[in-house]
Structures are given as structure tokens and as C-alpha cells.
Amino acid sequence: MTETDPPRAGAHESDRHPFETGLDRNPANYVPLTPVSLLARAAASVGGRVAIIDGARRLTYADLYTRCRRLASGLARRGIGRLDTVAILAPNVAEMIEAHFAVPMLGAVLNPLNTRLDPATIAFSLDHGGARVLIVEAEYGALAARALADRAGPILVVEIGTSGIAGAVPYETLLAEGDPAYAWPGPADEWQSLCLLYTSGTTGDPKGAVYSHRGAYLQALGNAVTFGFTAESAYLWTLPMFHCSGWSYPWASVAACATQICLRKVEPAAIFALIAEHGVTHLCGAPIVLSMIAHAPASDRVPFRQRVRCAVGGAAPSSTIIRTMEDLGFQVTHLYGATESYGPATVCLEQPDWADLPDDDRYARMARQGVALATLEAAIVADPDTDQPVLQDGLTVGEICLRGNTVMKGYLGNPDATARALAGGWYRTGDLAVWHPDGSVEIKDRAKDIIISGGENISSLEVEEVLMRHPAVMLAAVVARPDATWGESPCAFLEMKPGATAPTDRELIDFCRERMARFKVPKTVVFGPLPKTSTGKIQKFVLREQARAL
């Protein structure tokens, strides 16, 4: 029985166990977990340390805490309170970090919006999430104006810079209205909703994953420990903060009292320059970001002395990318997760004996999705039909399932989708994987991306890995194409490196035949730019349609 359980029928206080008597919660020994407390601690302990570098701006932890309290107070004075939604449309600027603390301070819910979406989708998110405030940075003023024209109902618009939206309140004016000593209430309960993150749905409307204060706090600690953050760390924002709340790194960086360096636009020249100027030690990104860095022209590259830890999520990086990144001074770590898991859920932990492996074998190990973060309860590979864990033999395929405090509360206003995603007490990722004897998981494909050719299962990821070893290939995506003989056959879409000459179909097929089983070799090859989502992921559903039309 816990303190919240009802007493047993007929039970008296004297019947309670000694460990349940006189040991109740009170403010001295129980405070709801919230990432906001991480900022309060940092301001109190290292207030003079630089927390944020944003161009020429420098904010210390004391500055950051004061500005967040002013923003929370200013919103409160304009009628915003507990569980009200505050949306923000902005690039990776200091104000985006401030919003990740100020809005939860108030007990309100932050809704970071994807700046790459169309006005109609943004309007849907504002309506569905019930946004009462929209904070918009000047660069996205026109986009916000079009989105607001597509929706009805009042909303307070707060502009960072000059957005051009009539009636917008300047961000700094709102801060000036606020109390720098604001006694923020925080959450009434650590299960209280903190963030609303919309997934970029490929069919139908986006789904809004809801985070809790408890989950965000624990994910911050899990990220900090996993990525080796310390107070000496300098984290470069190459990952958009609107994506899974920047994989929860706004909170993780503050948990470690690290410095966050803002970057409005991901450009290799700017990345190299900032790494060298500010001694960057950590950065994150999708595989496309690593590809941009790895293939940056020599004129964009600036030498730096430190080793930079680089976490990559999404599809596993190819061995070619890992090799190039290491040569440039980066240490690549593969993370795996989803919007529904606050970003990273598993990490590929490098083992001491990997150093003795041949490079190709070591890179293959590094590309695994790995094991659960310390703050995730469990990550397993289960048989989708029986829900039982598969053998840890590295061969049996099942679905990756996650469980723990860093799994979303559910999808806002969508109980059916929530029930499906969290069925059986696990978050069903939809990713097919094997489970290795050392406990690490390795994705073989999305369930919908497996190619079945002549009764044989072909992993599109395996074929893509081989294709990206070709010296001219920068990105590869493989999907199923209808085949009269085999049912399906692999169709490869390839994007070439800048300045590279595309090989002929025959040259590429011969290249593959030397490196994989013949039945896995693509029977069709298409050259050209690959369609990508707003977060840089390749849109395979678009390519499947193109393959069917060939």
C-alpha cells in the first residue's frame, strides 16, 4: 500500500506497517519534479556562468533565470495560467530556450511549432492545441500571419523583433511588464502537462504528443548523463528546438550548467566556425546534418583542437559518414527515440573491445540503436503477435517497445491513437529490430519499409548502407517497387555528393553485387534530390509512390 492507496477495509492507523506510519510526504521531503528547478539551481550556484551565446548576445544563468521569471510573470499578468497553451514559432534563438523554462514555470503548456510547415498545418496545431498565445520570431512573421488568417478565435501574439503582425506585443515589452522576482508556482503535480509536440504526420492530421514535468526532468538528467555533459560543456544547436523540444536538450544543458550556443540556420561553414570559436564539445543532428558536415567543402572547414561529441538520431549513420566524421575530429554516438519518448530513448554505448575490431565491424556496431537510457525503464524487442520478448540472438526480428517515465502521456484529444500507441503497457514504435546477446537492439527496418521479394525479407536499411559506401553517393533511400515476378523488388533513389558524377545503373548494381546477396541488389536506380520532411528525414512514402509509377 502507498500513501495514496485507500485504507484496507476495517483497517485502523494502528494496523499500518511501521514504514507507513509517520513517514508521510510533506514539503520538506517531497517536491514535484520539474525541469524549471534545474534553472533555479543553476542560477543560484553558477549565476555568473554564461548560459547562452546567441550571436553577439551573452546571457549568464542569473540573466536567464531573471528573464524567464519576467516572461512567466508578464504572461500571468495578461491572464495566462495553468494548462493554457503558449505556442512559439522561432528558430534556435535564446528566446526559444527561455520559453522552455518560462512557460512551465507558469504551469502552462509550451507548444513549439515546426517552422518548416505550411500555414494550414500551423493553423491546425494552434486550433487543436487551443493556443492562447503565439510567440513568433520576425523571420517567421509572414508564415504566422498566413496561419492566423486560417483560424478563428482570439490569440495574443508576442513578437521577437518585428513580425509585421498587427497588434503584436514586443517580446521585450512583455518581459518589462514582468516581475524579475516572480514567485513561480510550478506544477501542482509532476504528472501535469508541460509540452505539446506535434508529429509531422504523413497521413491525416498531425498528432500532438503530450509531455509531463516528471518526464522532462528525468529526460534532462538521462540526456546529460548519456552525453557526458558537465559545466565545462559547450552545446551547439544544430538540431531544431521545435523537434521533440530539441530532444530535451534545453533542459539537459541547464541540468549540467553547460553553455548553449544558438545557430539559426544549419550551414557547414557556420558550424565549423562556431566549433572553433567557442570550443564546442557537443552537438546533435539528424543524419542529413552529419552528411552536410562530412561533405562540407574544404573552404568551409575551420580547424579545431577539441574532440566534438556528435549524437545522431533517426536512421543509422552509414559507415562512410562515421569514418569521415571521425577523421574530421568528431566522436559519433548513435541515439534512437521519437517525439513520443522525449527524444532519445536508447544509446549505442561503445564497448572497450570495439577498438580491436576492423573498421567496418566497429562501424556496424556503432550504428546499432543500443540500450535504454538510464532514465528509461525498459526497451525490448517483442514479437508483435504475442507481445513476448524475442530471443536475444541477433537474428529474430520483432518490434521495439519502450516503457518508462520518459514516454509521452498520450496524444492530445486522440484517445484511440493513444490506446494503440500504448497498448499492453508499452509504447509501440513500429520499428522492426533484432536483439543482440549484449542487450543492444538493432533496427532492421520500419514495419512498412521491409521489402518482401520472392518470399525473402530485405532490409532497406541494409541496402542503403551498402549504397552509401559508393564514393559518389551522399544519400540513399530504398523502397519496394511492384515486380511481376518477385512480388516486390528493391528500388534505390540516390542523391549524389556535390560535384560527383553519377555512376551508371550497371556500375552501381555491380558495386552492390560485390557486397550483398544478389536478391537484395536494387533492380531499379533513380538519381536526383531526395524528398525530405521538415526535420530532414527522407520521405519514403513519396518515394514508394514514385516507384509504383516507374
Side-chain angles (χ1 to χ4, degrees):
M1 188 174 79
T2 67
E3 283 85 8
T4 57
D5 288 334
R8 298 185 302 274
H12 299 284
E13 184 67 22
S14 59
D15 295 332
R16 293 178 63 189
H17 193 281
F19 283 113
E20 295 177 330
T21 304
L23 301 175
D24 298 323
R25 296 177 183 177
N26 70 64
N29 61 25
Y30 176 80
V31 179
L33 299 178
T34 174
V36 180
S37 65
L38 301 173
L39 176 57
R41 167 189 170 272
S45 56
V46 293
R49 185 183 293 275
V50 174
I52 299 175
I53 297 174
D54 186 3
R57 288 196 292 173
R58 302 290 187 276
L59 295 178
T60 65
Y61 271 101
D63 295 333
L64 177 59
Y65 189 40
T66 296
R67 286 176 61 83
C68 289
R69 294 170 87 176
R70 283 187 178 276
L71 177 55
S73 174
L75 290 170
R77 290 179 177 183
R78 288 179 175 262
I80 306 305
R82 182 177 180 273
L83 297 183
D84 286 334
T85 302
V86 177
I88 182 167
L89 187 66
N92 288 350
V93 292
E95 290 82 359
M96 184 65 120
I97 298 171
E98 291 171 355
H100 273 83
F101 289 92
V103 174
M105 267 185 189
L106 190 58
V109 178
L110 181 66
N111 177 208
L113 296 170
N114 188 330
T115 58
R116 301 165 185 165
L117 295 179
D118 60 278
T121 304
I122 290 174
F124 168 84
S125 300
L126 294 173
D127 281 335
H128 185 266
R132 293 193 57 196
V133 180
L134 172 61
I135 301 173
V136 57
E137 204 269 345
E139 181 180 351
Y140 299 104
L143 175 60
R146 292 196 297 272
L148 291 171
D150 290 341
R151 67 177 300 279
I155 189 169
L156 171 65
V157 178
V158 178
E159 59 181 5
I160 305 167
T162 304
S163 68
I165 299 174
V169 176
Y171 185 89
E172 295 299 329
T173 297
L174 185 63
L175 262 64
E177 296 174 2
D179 180 1
Y182 176 60
W184 47 276
D189 185 299
E190 60 187 21
W191 183 245
Q192 185 173 311
S193 297
L194 164 101
C195 257
L196 171 64
L197 284 306
Y198 282 95
T199 61
S200 52
T202 56
T203 57
D205 292 324
K207 298 189 291 291
V210 179
Y211 294 176
S212 71
H213 283 255
R214 176 181 179 82
Y217 180 95
L218 292 171
Q219 184 71 19
L221 299 186
N223 280 357
V225 170
T226 299
F227 213 10
F229 272 178
T230 71
E232 305 305 318
S233 299
Y235 179 74
L236 178 61
W237 275 107
T238 48
L239 173 78
M241 274 186 251
F242 63 69
H243 184 45
C244 311
S245 276
W247 295 358
S248 300
Y249 278 104
W251 304 309
S253 300
V254 170
C257 301
T259 299
Q260 299 181 65
I261 301 159
C262 296
L263 179 63
R264 295 179 66 100
K265 188 176 181 181
V266 176
E267 296 174 327
I271 291 171
F272 278 98
L274 291 171
I275 288 173
E277 180 182 359
H278 299 299
V280 168
T281 58
H282 297 76
L283 60 84
C284 296
I288 185 65
V289 175
L290 268 66
S291 181
M292 292 172 63
I293 295 173
H295 297 119
S299 58
D300 286 349
R301 297 178 182 178
V302 178
F304 50 89
R305 291 180 294 178
Q306 74 277 18
R307 195 77 171 165
V308 180
R309 293 194 63 176
C310 176
V312 59
S318 70
S319 58
T320 302
I321 293 293
I322 295 175
R323 178 182 287 108
T324 304
M325 292 294 287
E326 288 186 343
D327 291 343
L328 289 173
F330 296 87
Q331 177 185 341
V332 178
T333 299
H334 190 204
L335 302 174
Y336 164 78
T339 301
E340 291 83 351
S341 62
Y342 296 68
T346 69
V347 57
C348 186
L349 295 177
E350 190 160 352
Q351 303 299 320
D353 61 337
W354 292 6
D356 299 325
L357 295 173
D359 280 353
D360 285 347
D361 291 343
R362 182 168 66 88
Y363 296 145
R365 299 284 184 93
M366 290 174 67
R368 291 178 183 175
Q369 283 58 46
V371 297
L373 265 63
T375 44
L376 182 73
E377 182 65 22
I380 66 169
V381 179
D383 185 315
D385 296 325
T386 66
D387 289 345
Q388 294 302 305
V390 302
L391 295 175
Q392 290 184 229
D393 56 6
L395 298 172
T396 308
V397 175
E399 181 182 11
I400 297 179
C401 297
L402 309 175
R403 169 183 285 170
N405 295 290
T406 53
V407 169
M408 66 168 182
K409 296 175 67 172
Y411 297 117
L412 181 68
N414 198 334
D416 291 341
T418 298
R420 289 193 298 272
L422 306 181
W426 292 91
Y427 166 54
R428 312 303 180 105
T429 67
D431 286 320
L432 300 180
V434 296
W435 209 355
H436 289 279
D438 64 2
S440 66
V441 301
E442 180 186 1
I443 286 181
K444 290 302 181 182
D445 230 330
R446 291 288 295 177
K448 60 189 176 186
D449 291 338
I450 284 286
I451 301 164
I452 304 175
S453 183
E456 297 280 1
N457 286 355
I458 302 173
S459 165
S460 64
L461 299 182
E462 178 186 349
V463 182
E464 289 161 6
E465 159 67 21
V466 171
L467 289 167
M468 289 179 65
R469 293 180 195 170
H470 192 284
V473 175
M474 183 168 73
L475 292 174
V478 175
V479 299
R481 181 189 178 198
D483 189 292
T485 302
W486 304 106
E488 293 178 342
S489 62
C491 177
F493 291 83
L494 304 176
E495 189 171 318
M496 298 295 101
K497 293 178 181 177
T501 301
T504 65
D505 291 8
R506 174 47 53 191
E507 288 172 344
L508 200 69
I509 289 172
D510 288 344
F511 178 86
C512 291
R513 281 180 173 172
E514 294 175 4
R515 293 164 175 82
M516 67 175 73
R518 293 178 67 91
F519 74 89
K520 298 180 182 180
V521 173
K523 291 184 170 53
T524 313
V525 181
V526 181
F527 297 96
L530 302 183
K532 303 175 185 70
T533 69
S534 57
T535 55
K537 296 178 182 178
I538 296 170
Q539 294 177 307
K540 284 196 170 181
F541 72 98
V542 174
L543 297 179
R544 278 191 287 270
E545 290 295 329
Q546 293 179 11
R548 280 194 284 268
L550 291 175

